Amino acid sequence: MTADSSRQLDADVWAESANELGEGAIAHPDRQSLLWVDILRRRLCERAFGGGEIRVHELDVMPSAAALVDRRRILVATEVDLRLFDLDSGAGHPVWPFLAGEPHLRSND
């Protein structure tokens, strides 16, 4: 054990977000924010690196992961499709359905 390994470090909570099943966090460098999904509550969340309120987008399906497209759009994998989602307007629309006829399955990252 070195002297440095015994040093105690403090940590702060960056965001108070009571997720039921929060996953898929990704950094968005153009927006200077962190995005993540709360799968079971059907939410997409975003918070600026500099702080402030968590922006929550309520979805009608369970999301599981997201990928960056450009400054304002992301591709979200949901339980029924891939959908293009506009972070500024909160609008999303399916671009590719999948898992048709398999109601016991859902996407995962």
Side-chain angles (χ1 to χ4, degrees):
M1 182 162 157
T2 66
D4 287 331
S5 66
S6 65
R7 186 176 53 180
Q8 184 174 357
L9 301 175
D10 291 328
D12 294 324
V13 173
W14 179 73
E16 291 286 343
S17 179
N19 296 293
E20 192 167 340
L21 182 56
E23 290 193 18
I26 57 170
H28 198 313
D30 291 339
R31 295 173 70 90
Q32 289 294 294
S33 65
L34 184 72
L35 301 163
W36 68 94
V37 296
D38 185 347
I39 296 170
L40 298 178
R41 288 190 177 157
R42 299 177 179 200
R43 302 187 314 173
L44 171 67
C45 305
E46 179 182 22
R47 185 169 192 245
F49 293 142
E53 295 294 317
I54 297 171
R55 186 172 183 193
V56 176
H57 300 282
E58 303 290 336
L59 305 175
D60 60 346
V61 292
M62 288 189 292
S64 61
L68 304 179
V69 174
D70 57 31
R71 186 188 186 294
R72 55 176 248 271
R73 296 178 305 159
I74 60 173
L75 189 63
V76 179
T78 78
E79 64 186 306
V80 296
D81 57 26
L82 290 175
R83 66 183 53 184
L84 197 57
F85 189 86
D86 186 307
L87 292 165
D88 291 338
S89 71
H93 67 276
V95 293
W96 190 263
F98 56 87
L99 303 175
E102 299 290 342
H104 61 285
L105 298 177
R106 69 170 174 83
S107 67
N108 200 357
D109 57 344

